[in-house]
Amino acid sequence: MPTLILVRHGRSTANTEGLLAGWTPGVALDERGATQAAALPGRLAELPLSEVVASPLQRCQETIRPLLEARPGLTAHTDERIGECHYGDWSGRKLAELSGEPLMEVVQAHPSAAAFPGGESMRAMQTRAAEAVREWNARVERDHGADAVYLMCSHGDVIKSLVADALGLHLDLFQRISVEPCSITAIRYTRLRPFLVRLGDTGDFASLAPHEEPPAGDAPVGGGAGAP
């Protein structure tokens, strides 16, 4: 079965403003995010990508644009099932403000029970994304062969949930996974089991250096802004 390259979108204006974007329209890449996207073709130069599938949200479409310009023969598709979690009434709000909501404790400790007011549950998000991957795996294998490599550009929580699915982890453990903006995660699917062969690879280790303020124990909902 194919190898899936999961790319989180580059850093967005919502990331730098500390907002939970969700499906809010008009959330674009910031200057650093655009630079990250421009570097993506070079980082993936050795991979014979057969297809590109992206979330319909602007920040993902902007992330894959340089790659598509560098490979004009590459077919691109949009799939809403790998779009961001529908955060409902939380969308567009400050993460610092949301940290005091009782639901945030559920999101952190028991995400399989978390459902956003006016939005969807995290469990539903994982289910739709995993179904999309399975369908695309079958389609890519049918059209390009079992050794094909294809790319999906999606969002932090979606990618974390797909990694948990591949590793056979309960969704309640997915907050232990971290994927920074424009990071690359690779999952090789086989008949018996998936293999996680890369996780959150940015090629930049600056985010591992000590910070002036110690990192928070909570996982950033939506994925966080990455290295400063």
Side-chain angles (χ1 to χ4, degrees):
M1 294 179 70
T3 296
L4 169 60
I5 307 299
L6 287 162
V7 176
R8 185 183 168 200
H9 62 79
R11 196 174 75 176
S12 72
T13 54
N15 292 146
T16 48
E17 292 169 11
L19 299 176
L20 185 62
W23 284 71
T24 304
V27 177
L29 299 182
D30 68 6
E31 184 177 352
R32 177 171 182 155
T35 299
Q36 291 170 332
L40 199 57
R43 294 170 64 197
L44 299 172
E46 296 183 20
L47 291 180
L49 297 175
S50 58
E51 307 270 1
V52 170
V53 187
S55 156
L57 293 172
Q58 180 178 338
R59 51 199 184 273
C60 286
Q61 296 291 324
E62 290 180 352
T63 298
I64 64 169
R65 189 174 299 152
L67 177 64
L68 297 176
E69 290 173 351
R71 302 195 194 193
L74 192 57
T75 303
H77 311 269
T78 298
D79 193 327
E80 290 194 358
R81 294 174 298 175
I82 62 167
E84 181 63 285
C85 185
H86 291 274
Y87 296 116
D89 297 344
W90 279 25
S91 299
R93 292 177 62 187
K94 286 276 189 182
L95 287 165
E97 172 189 313
L98 291 169
S99 65
E101 295 278 356
L103 178 59
M104 183 60 83
E105 185 177 359
V106 182
V107 170
Q108 293 295 325
H110 192 24
S112 66
F116 296 96
E120 70 178 334
S121 68
M122 302 199 94
R123 191 171 60 252
M125 173 199 72
Q126 182 188 44
T127 297
R128 62 171 164 83
E131 287 177 350
V133 167
R134 284 161 174 74
E135 288 183 21
W136 278 103
N137 281 348
R139 176 173 173 173
V140 169
E141 182 172 4
R142 179 197 69 203
D143 295 344
H144 303 282
D147 294 329
V149 180
Y150 75 107
L151 181 147
M152 280 186 168
C153 184
S154 187
H155 306 265
D157 281 348
V158 175
I159 293 173
K160 287 162 57 177
S161 76
L162 290 171
V163 171
D165 175 75
L167 292 175
L169 294 178
H170 196 284
L171 184 60
D172 286 347
L173 299 178
F174 100 127
Q175 297 290 29
R176 302 183 183 197
I177 299 165
S178 175
V179 289
E180 292 190 4
C182 225
S183 63
I184 293 172
T185 294
I187 303 171
R188 181 173 295 123
Y189 289 88
T190 74
R191 185 173 62 86
L192 294 179
R193 65 183 63 85
F195 291 90
L196 179 65
V197 292
R198 291 288 189 281
L199 176 60
D201 188 347
T202 63
D204 178 5
F205 298 103
S207 64
L208 301 180
H211 297 280
E212 292 184 6
E213 297 182 6
D218 285 349
V221 181

